Amino acid sequence: MEKAIYISDDFINENTHFPALLAALKEGFSSPDILVPQRHHHDFPNPETGSDSTLLLMPAWHPAKIAGVKIATVSPENGRYDLPSIQAIYVLINAITGTMIATMQAKSLTAKRTAAASALASSFLSRKDASSLLMIGTGALSANLIRAHASVRPIKEVFVWGRNAEKAKAICSELKEENFSCTAIMQIDDKIGDMDIISCATLSKTPLVLGKYLKPGQHIDLVGAYKKDMREADDAVIQKASVYVDTPAGLHESGDTSIPLHSGILTEDTIKGNLFTLCSGEVSGRKSEKEVTVFKSVGHALEDLMAANYYYNQFTNE
């Protein structure tokens, strides 16, 4: 019987090569054999904080190969406890025998695979010469998103904004050895129109990226706002852009897409593609240098499975 190994966040942080992780995700999204049922999404009251928490169960199977499930909670008020809002664990399974072959902390797994998915989308949707990036948000995802985007585009300038200016400065300090400059800024409106790529990873309930500031050729990466009452981009962004999503199943989970769908500003027929159609070559992505593109991510169990298998192979040297 196989003995389950344990893979820590430290190992994941020290053994992430974004180009290789992107390749693993692209292989997964290109495969017709991976089975991913609808994830369980349960909100439950948290009277201690006055804000609901969310339990997510995200299974996926690659028949006769690997399977796995992520158990995650999202508690938006965890900042008051100096804890990340997302807590998670992943269980990797031998899909033939059903044996559990690995457990791993999934905080870093989630951050890495989410950043890799955004960069994978950017490889199809941002301009190839994109050299500037605005990062909105200062959570665990931010530095990962910056590094992932820089792995697919020649990023030279990065600007970071968050409601806590000290956190923005800390991210820039963390990235000081990278091959791009990183500057913490106090406000974003005058920067939005100057950036080639705008990545947003927040729990905001009001739009932060406003369409009136956008310029032709930009790419907008919307990663946060995981609930229907949360939103990072306004209607004007959606109206100006060609909209892509990570998966069709997530269309109604986030306010960034569910609110425009409900109002009729966006329809499912006008969604240009998703990571499955982009990676398989069914759709080509960006059509022109002046096109504005939006990628909305809500996360997908396929990303977790492929990332967990990537780190398992790293750990076992397979």
Side-chain angles (χ1 to χ4, degrees):
M1 180 176 177
E2 294 178 89
K3 183 178 179 180
I5 61 175
Y6 174 71
I7 301 175
S8 69
D9 268 349
D10 286 342
F11 179 87
I12 290 171
N13 289 329
E14 293 166 7
N15 292 273
T16 298
H17 179 60
F18 273 116
L21 182 55
L22 264 71
L25 264 59
K26 186 175 183 180
E27 177 185 355
F29 279 109
S30 300
S31 171
D33 300 324
I34 298 176
L35 305 175
V36 182
Q38 185 72 32
R39 69 182 175 187
H40 289 250
H41 186 289
H42 304 284
D43 294 329
F44 60 92
N46 191 339
E48 184 71 23
T49 66
S51 178
D52 284 357
S53 292
T54 302
L55 173 69
L56 299 169
L57 303 175
M58 302 174 66
W61 296 271
H62 196 174
K65 294 185 178 180
I66 53 170
V69 60
K70 185 169 77 175
I71 304 168
T73 58
V74 185
S75 300
E77 299 300 317
N78 268 7
R80 68 175 70 177
Y81 306 112
D82 198 27
L83 290 170
S85 58
I86 299 174
Q87 303 288 324
I89 191 168
Y90 197 86
V91 180
L92 190 65
I93 300 165
N94 181 316
I96 298 173
T97 65
T99 306
M100 296 179 189
I101 58 176
T103 59
M104 57 192 77
Q105 290 179 299
K107 181 181 75 172
S108 290
L109 173 77
T110 301
K112 304 297 185 188
R113 66 77 153 151
T114 302
S118 282
L120 179 59
S122 181
S123 71
F124 294 102
L125 300 178
S126 65
R127 296 195 328 270
K128 294 186 185 301
D129 64 350
S131 62
S132 58
L133 169 69
L134 171 62
M135 183 70 239
I136 301 174
T138 55
L141 268 172
S142 300
N144 286 295
L145 282 161
I146 293 167
R147 287 189 171 109
H149 278 292
S151 76
V152 297
R153 291 294 183 253
I155 301 298
K156 300 300 181 187
E157 284 186 307
V158 174
F159 297 89
V160 181
W161 177 88
R163 290 188 172 91
N164 184 323
E166 293 306 310
K167 288 185 177 180
K169 292 176 183 176
I171 289 171
C172 289
S173 179
E174 178 183 343
L175 298 171
K176 63 183 179 182
E177 301 300 325
E178 301 292 337
N179 293 323
F180 47 76
S181 65
C182 188
T183 306
I185 57 175
M186 300 302 293
Q187 60 93 27
I188 56 176
D189 288 352
D190 64 346
K191 278 291 178 192
I192 288 177
D194 293 335
M195 298 291 100
D196 296 326
I197 298 173
I198 301 167
S199 185
C200 197
T202 73
L203 300 176
S204 181
K205 293 193 175 183
T206 57
L208 297 168
V209 183
L210 306 181
K212 65 182 180 180
Y213 296 120
L214 294 183
K215 300 292 176 59
Q218 291 180 293
H219 173 61
I220 320 300
D221 173 40
L222 302 176
V223 183
Y226 69 98
K227 296 175 72 173
K228 292 179 181 180
D229 64 344
M230 295 176 176
R231 197 162 186 194
E232 295 182 311
D234 68 358
D235 285 345
V237 171
I238 301 301
Q239 289 173 314
K240 284 187 174 184
S242 300
V243 178
Y244 295 77
V245 294
D246 51 356
T247 69
L251 272 175
H252 298 280
E253 290 190 18
S254 166
D256 279 318
T257 46
S258 67
I259 293 171
L261 281 169
H262 186 262
S263 67
I265 288 173
L266 180 68
T267 67
E268 293 193 21
D269 289 341
T270 57
I271 300 292
K272 301 296 184 182
N274 54 63
L275 285 178
F276 291 102
T277 57
L278 286 167
C279 291
S280 67
E282 185 179 334
V283 299
S284 59
R286 174 173 286 274
K287 303 296 191 299
S288 75
E289 293 295 295
K290 293 186 177 181
E291 184 180 17
V292 175
T293 55
V294 163
F295 174 68
K296 175 58 195 171
S297 167
V298 296
H300 195 254
L302 182 149
E303 298 164 12
D304 293 310
L305 181 67
M306 299 307 294
N309 190 55
Y310 166 79
Y311 290 114
Y312 177 78
N313 289 337
Q314 292 279 91
F315 192 91
T316 57
N317 295 316
E318 292 185 5

